Each structure stands twice: as C-alpha cells, then as structure tokens.
Amino acid sequence: SFPTRRSSDLRIGLRLPYRSMDTDKGGNTALMAPEVCLARPGSFSSIPYSRSDLWAAGSLAYQIYGGHNPFLGGLASRSYTEDQLPALPPGTPVLVQELVRALLHRDPSSRPSPRLAATVCQLLLWAPSTWCREDCGTPPGTQEILQWLLTMTTKVVCESRWGNSAGAQFEYTLVATFLASLSMREVRAALAWCREAWLDRQARIE
C-alpha cells in the first residue's frame, strides 16, 4: 500500500536496494557517479544516490560553460582520478571551477551537500562580490548579511509587480525561492566554504 511504500522510502532514504543485476540504475551510463557505477549487487547491497546528482551536475558544468564534458568519450567515472579532470573553459569564475572540482570528488562524502552547493551558487549570483573574492578579508557580520537579505527581499517584492521582461520575472522567482528557504547558518557555511576554496586553490598553486 502507499503508506507502507512511503515508510520504506523514509527508512532507506536515497538508497536503492540492489539485489540483482536486473535492477535499473537509471540515467546515462556515461554520467553515472562513481558510487553508482561501481555498485555491486548482493543480498544486502544498495546504491547510494544521495550525492550522485551533485556529481552529474559537476560533469554537466563543463558543457554549461561551453566546454566538452570529460566523461562523454573521455574519462570513465569508474576509474578516473581527480587530478585527471581538465580545466574548465577560460572565463569560468574561479569559485565555480572550485565548486565543480568539489562536486566531482570520487568519494561522495567529500562533496559538498546539495544545499551547500546551491547556496554557494546563489551567493555567487546575488551577494556582494566582495564577499566571495580572494581578498575578501573579514567575513560579513550578521547585520551586514541581514541588510543584504532585506535589500533582496524589497527588490523582489517591489520590482516583480511591474511589467518586467520574462527573463527578469524568472530571476525574481529564483531569488524568491532562495529567500524563502535559506537560513543564516547556511549563508555562513557557504561563505566559509568560499574562503576555504580560495585557500585550497592557493595551496595547490604553490
């Protein structure tokens, strides 16, 4: 029955019982995350999907930024290493490059959570650029973050009522969705991730 199926979903989460090779893993085999591709069937086996979409998003980012997806006719998700990942096309923002690199970690536990990755992207789109720069200095305080959120909210509430273009309305919808679901803790975590990403990048270059 439906209640039983729902209870089962809540119990196993984003894991698919994988008892035989007949189970359909779903998706494009070239774009399966390593943990999905390498899963082996067994009486107590399951396929972990909780962070597999993060990996797929990371691979598709190459195409979004005008490059070639390295896993389509190139690297194999089951056997690549992180140092084999090619650079993203020129012009890709540095923190986007670092985020994609993080999303393509072979170990799913080393990838950022979906919520953290989404919040980082939202900050890169709409937060003051000084917050996410390499020389960002002291992180913004609570009042500064709240002032930014208030400005964003006012902009959406007021300007979305006017006869703006479809593109502007779509952006207002994205901002409104972000504002409706964020928390101060998540914003701070995303800002901390950006600072750490800059430090990691500098350490690799040196």
Side-chain angles (χ1 to χ4, degrees):
S1 64
F2 176 75
T4 302
R5 180 166 59 84
R6 178 175 173 80
S7 299
S8 177
D9 290 345
L10 293 174
R11 185 179 70 254
I12 66 175
L14 293 174
R15 303 184 72 91
L16 175 68
Y18 192 31
R19 298 186 176 89
S20 77
M21 292 293 289
D22 294 330
T23 302
D24 183 5
K25 294 181 179 181
N28 185 333
T29 56
L31 299 180
M32 280 185 181
E35 64 272 21
V36 177
C37 190
L38 294 172
R40 293 292 177 265
S43 299
F44 302 100
S45 296
S46 62
I47 305 173
Y49 285 102
S50 61
R51 298 198 177 188
S52 62
D53 281 351
L54 287 165
W55 188 93
S59 69
L60 292 173
Y62 282 86
Q63 293 168 264
I64 292 173
Y65 281 91
H68 175 71
N69 191 318
F71 297 96
L72 293 175
L75 300 178
S77 64
R78 64 172 59 245
S79 59
Y80 79 101
T81 58
E82 282 89 354
D83 59 4
Q84 293 177 312
L85 293 170
L88 273 86
T92 305
V94 171
L95 283 180
V96 171
Q97 296 178 40
E98 294 302 306
L99 181 59
V100 170
R101 180 183 178 87
L103 296 179
L104 292 176
H105 270 295
R106 289 187 59 83
D107 179 4
S109 66
S110 296
R111 300 171 200 153
S113 69
R115 187 65 187 180
L116 175 58
T119 305
V120 168
C121 290
Q122 302 280 10
L123 290 180
L124 294 178
L125 283 171
W126 294 303
S129 60
T130 54
W131 291 5
C132 301
R133 288 195 319 219
E134 185 174 10
D135 57 346
C136 55
T138 304
T142 300
Q143 289 305 313
E144 191 175 356
I145 295 174
L146 289 174
Q147 183 61 49
W148 166 63
L149 294 175
L150 178 60
T151 301
M152 294 281 285
T153 302
T154 303
K155 181 180 179 66
V156 171
V157 170
C158 295
E159 294 188 11
S160 63
R161 297 178 179 179
W162 301 339
N164 294 293
S165 65
Q169 290 294 343
F170 179 68
E171 180 175 341
Y172 292 137
T173 300
L174 287 175
V175 176
T177 302
F178 168 61
L179 293 171
S181 60
L182 68 80
S183 72
M184 182 65 72
R185 178 178 56 82
E186 290 168 347
V187 172
R188 291 190 180 282
L191 289 169
W193 184 92
C194 291
R195 294 173 65 84
E196 189 65 28
W198 278 115
L199 293 174
D200 289 346
R201 182 181 180 85
Q202 184 177 7
R204 289 200 311 273
I205 293 174
E206 294 176 353

